[in-house]
Amino acid sequence: MTEKHIVLEDIDPVVFYGVGNTHLQMIRALFPKLRIVARGNVIRILGDEEQMAAFEEYAEKIRQHVLKFNSLSEEDILDIVKGRRTRDDVPDGVVCYTMSGRPIKARSANQQRLIDAYEQNDMVFAVGPAGTGKTYLSIALAVKALKEKTAKKIILSRPAVEAGEKLGFLPGDMKDKIDPYLQPLYDALEDMIPQVKLQDMMEKHQIQIAPLAFMRGRTLSDAVVILDEAQNTTPAQLRMFLTRMGWNTKMIITGDTSQIDLPHSQKSGLIEALHILTGVEGIGVVRLDQADIVRHKLVTRIVKAYEQLDSERQG
């Protein structure tokens, strides 16, 4: 009796097997001449060689479907095994899918400009108020590049600048102190990549999350590099970061110039960079505004109220 092992790489096995192994039970029913045993991300198959070859082909098609859409239904399995038409192509405008199968795509004209600017330039500045999707959409573009193998790694960074709270008073070692600043980046990644796979990719350094200070001296090649909260960089820090760019690398720099946490005497590196680099070939600048806010409707009103206060103070 022939025996083979199939490894489900790059996907969450739970999505493949289904809740309570419902998908696996359906697959077993479709291949009655095979004994199919699943453990972790490895499927062990024994039995008829002809059915085994067919199973390998369909299992890879199902794996590719899960990798692309982060979801799988019994109807999808039947469509693939029975040779019926499947949704092989991602619909126009969809960047990638969340772990719940929700499509991530532009939800405003300026968000679409961000996607277009990323495709047309090697470096993009995305500037706008809180809730406009700058960071989330940027990470989705990076995850897409990693899945399509146009980039070998994702590097995410943030300046560890205190917003009214002192870093030194946080408990734990340096990693424990810094992680809260990087949590929004972890949250976005966990929404798009299976937890087990994400941990594996971080251990293999395919995904790296680090404070801005850790970027000095590095050359970042074959990667999508995202600097978040860039308004809290000094001119020297941002200049250092931008010059880390290596071959086959794209950079996205996001920030909100209305939420600068630097000391009042310190100039924001993002404001200076926008002044110096706007119009430079190969660099795209996208400005988002209140109309692009995709959080709770109150966020739009809050942003508007604070902008009005800022205008009155300047006046």
Side-chain angles (χ1 to χ4, degrees), residues 15-243:
V15 179
F16 189 101
Y17 302 147
V19 178
N21 285 339
T22 52
H23 296 163
L24 190 60
Q25 291 168 11
M26 170 180 276
I27 291 169
R28 285 172 176 151
L30 292 168
F31 295 91
K33 295 182 181 178
L34 298 178
R35 182 172 176 233
I36 302 170
V37 180
R39 177 169 294 180
N41 68 332
V42 179
I43 300 176
R44 179 169 164 250
I45 48 176
L46 304 91
D48 180 77
E49 285 192 24
E50 187 176 339
Q51 273 212 3
M52 191 176 293
F55 176 82
E56 283 186 284
E57 179 185 346
Y58 293 130
E60 175 57 21
K61 288 181 178 179
I62 294 170
R63 188 191 73 83
Q64 289 288 346
H65 180 96
V66 174
L67 180 63
K68 189 178 292 184
F69 299 103
N70 272 338
S71 64
L72 184 69
S73 67
E74 293 183 359
E75 186 177 351
D76 292 329
I77 295 171
L78 287 173
D79 286 343
I80 291 168
V81 174
K82 299 297 184 182
R84 300 199 292 247
R85 184 177 178 181
T86 60
R87 51 166 183 162
D88 291 331
D89 296 325
V90 174
D92 289 340
V94 174
V95 177
C96 64
Y97 287 80
T98 67
M99 289 309 301
S100 62
R102 177 177 61 82
I104 300 173
K105 57 184 178 180
R107 296 174 65 180
S108 70
N110 284 329
Q111 285 192 358
Q112 185 59 52
R113 289 190 186 100
L114 172 54
I115 294 171
D116 295 340
Y118 171 84
E119 293 173 350
Q120 296 163 10
N121 300 277
D122 288 335
M123 183 180 292
V124 178
F125 286 83
V127 185
T132 51
K134 308 180 298 293
T135 302
Y136 192 81
L137 193 56
S138 297
I139 291 177
L141 289 166
V143 169
K144 178 186 179 185
L146 202 60
K147 286 189 173 187
E148 294 178 350
K149 302 190 185 302
T150 56
K152 293 181 180 178
K153 57 193 171 190
I154 298 173
I155 300 172
L156 308 175
S157 186
R158 265 187 163 201
V161 174
E162 296 141 348
E165 299 170 273
K166 296 298 182 184
L167 185 62
F169 287 109
L170 291 172
D173 58 18
M174 181 56 71
K175 183 180 183 301
D176 294 329
K177 291 175 186 290
I178 288 170
D179 270 357
Y181 289 91
L182 306 176
Q183 192 57 50
L185 306 180
Y186 289 113
D187 291 343
L189 286 169
E190 288 171 357
D191 203 24
M192 304 174 202
I193 300 174
Q195 181 64 47
V196 174
K197 183 61 184 174
L198 176 58
Q199 188 64 37
D200 179 61
M201 295 171 89
M202 294 181 71
E203 288 173 0
K204 293 177 179 177
H205 302 292
Q206 290 176 284
I207 294 178
Q208 303 171 26
I209 305 178
L212 179 60
F214 289 27
M215 295 294 108
R216 187 173 294 279
R218 299 184 64 184
T219 299
L220 310 175
S221 300
D222 298 310
V224 178
V225 186
I226 298 172
L227 175 62
D228 195 32
E229 300 288 348
Q231 77 276 4
N232 287 329
T233 61
T234 65
Q237 285 175 330
L238 189 52
R239 183 176 181 177
M240 176 275 292
F241 176 81
L242 297 179
T243 54

Side-chain angles (χ1 to χ4, degrees), residues 217-286:
R218 299 184 64 184
T219 299
L220 310 175
S221 300
D222 298 310
V224 178
V225 186
I226 298 172
L227 175 62
D228 195 32
E229 300 288 348
Q231 77 276 4
N232 287 329
T233 61
T234 65
Q237 285 175 330
L238 189 52
R239 183 176 181 177
M240 176 275 292
F241 176 81
L242 297 179
T243 54
R244 301 304 93 203
M245 192 173 191
W247 295 105
N248 191 37
T249 288
K250 282 181 175 279
M251 277 189 170
I252 307 176
I253 300 93
T254 71
D256 176 3
T257 54
S258 70
Q259 292 190 356
I260 298 173
D261 299 315
L262 295 168
H264 291 298
S265 59
Q266 181 66 66
K267 186 176 182 181
S268 168
L270 177 60
I271 292 176
E272 182 180 89
L274 291 171
H275 176 70
I276 296 170
L277 301 177
T278 297
V280 173
E281 185 178 354
I283 297 178
V285 177
V286 179

